[in-house]
Amino acid sequence: MNDRLTTREAAELLGVKPATVYAYISRGQLSSRRDPVGRGSTLDAAEVAALARRNRREAAAPAGELSVRTALTLIEPDRYWYRGVDAVELAGRYAYEEVAEWLWTGRPPRGARFTAPPELLAAARRAVRALPEHSGPVDRLRVATAAAAVADPLRHDLSEEAVLGSARALIPTLVGALPPAAERPDGTEHGDGDGEDDGPLAGRLWTRLTARPADPSAVAVLDLALGLLVDHDLAASTLAVRVAASARAHPYAAVSAGLGALEGPLHGAAGRLAHRMLRDVLDQGGAAPVVAEHLRAGRRVPGLGHRLYSGEDPRAGALFARLAELDTAAPALAAARDVVAVTARQGRGLHANVDLALAVLTVSCGMPAEAGETVFAVARTAGWVAHALEEYGERPLRMRPSGRYTGPRPPQPLP
């Protein structure tokens, strides 16, 4: 084998199209170099051969032993990383849009802003306004995503440039389609006029979550929460996204798959339970009776423990540190610490997770119980797109385990 391969030769060895080879290069799975003699680029033959071996091993893996390669997020016992960079430090220094760009491209352009195209935003708003009043936030986001997809005639273009263009349009469309939390003095709704796409996304999301005026310090904490929640490896919703992308579903459909998995009480909706618990602690003046009631009913205490962290969730620690700087957050923060202390006295050894920290934010800023779910879904949309992009560069339909049949042995009599 030659030391260098052309793109076409590499594609033949890997059994993929040349476009997929370019995707491997853009994600750092292969390195390329300009050919000083001919035209185009060449690839290291050993790298290509190693990738081909990994693909063959993956294809031959027994059912249920799927291993998903990803260059996005690494989780360690007490911290996590986005593309090798400490995620807490990154989210503390860059705005949500910049963190999303880092996850997508490996570059965090300063001042990045996401703007909703008028046709997508109008379609999403019409669809959301047709829903019943009792619809939840994920209901609205799913409908807005479907409406935005129908309004985008290029949604089936799975090239990296097109997918990222769709993501930069979809995320602000989701925020803009949510009903505003307050009306202006003249009776018009916040966020329904011209210029609503000015400024960072966190400021626009704030008007959808609370009727309180936008305090810059509190909005900065909301922005931090968005950045911290962008991705967290292969959570249930992210795996659903990758399954959809493996079947080459367009990015809007992949995001819809993530939203479907997110709605369970053990995933995105966990923040709602923690919010209600903190309200109960504040109303009763202490955590002990509230925790006791959860335990008496056989329910787990919301906002505590995480299967990937032995100590405190680093996302919770980062949010608690910033919330401690807000005077309005002091009562809810004290309530959260009381919950942790009471459960520690029970010898349960559980630490705060990000759901409890989100509950402190939503309670202290006058947001409804479902606000944490909205923050989670909007933030994680960027991570879902990043995983969909990775999956588009892999072998199609690789997420196809075989079922282990446990029914009656055939042949059985016809009913």
Side-chain angles (χ1 to χ4, degrees), residues 238-379:
T238 304
L239 182 59
V241 167
R242 294 197 76 128
V243 170
S246 177
R248 296 304 183 257
H250 58 70
Y252 299 91
V255 168
S256 293
L259 288 168
L262 186 70
E263 199 166 11
L266 301 181
H267 196 9
R272 181 190 308 223
L273 304 177
H275 177 106
R276 290 172 176 161
M277 177 188 68
L278 280 191
R279 291 290 343 159
D280 289 343
V281 172
L282 290 169
D283 290 344
Q284 297 193 35
V290 177
V291 170
E293 182 58 33
H294 276 81
L295 298 178
R296 185 179 301 114
R299 299 190 301 264
R300 62 187 296 271
V301 180
L304 298 180
H306 196 289
R307 61 186 294 268
L308 298 179
Y309 301 113
S310 55
E312 185 177 69
D313 185 333
R315 300 169 296 179
L319 283 172
F320 285 151
R322 291 286 286 275
L323 286 163
E325 301 171 4
L326 300 180
D327 292 340
T328 54
L333 189 57
R337 288 173 173 158
D338 194 16
V339 169
V340 174
V342 167
T343 55
R345 288 198 296 270
Q346 299 290 327
R348 298 178 68 84
L350 296 177
H351 300 270
N353 63 33
V354 72
D355 298 313
L356 188 61
L358 270 181
V360 174
L361 173 64
T362 56
V363 168
S364 60
C365 293
M367 298 175 183
E370 63 269 18
E373 195 173 351
T374 306
V375 174
F376 196 114
V378 170

Side-chain angles (χ1 to χ4, degrees), residues 10-11 14 16 20-32 42-52 54:
L14 292 165
V16 299
T20 302
V21 175
Y22 294 127
Y24 286 142
I25 294 170
S26 68
R27 291 167 181 76
Q29 292 172 267
L30 293 173
S31 57
S32 67
T42 61
L43 297 93
D44 183 279
E47 278 189 1
V48 175
L51 180 58
R54 289 199 301 270

Side-chain angles (χ1 to χ4, degrees), residues 115-127 144 147-154 169 173 197 252:
T115 301
E119 61 275 14
L120 265 66
L121 185 57
R125 281 180 172 162
R126 285 194 300 270
V150 174
D152 183 358
L154 304 179
T173 296
D197 286 330
Y252 299 91

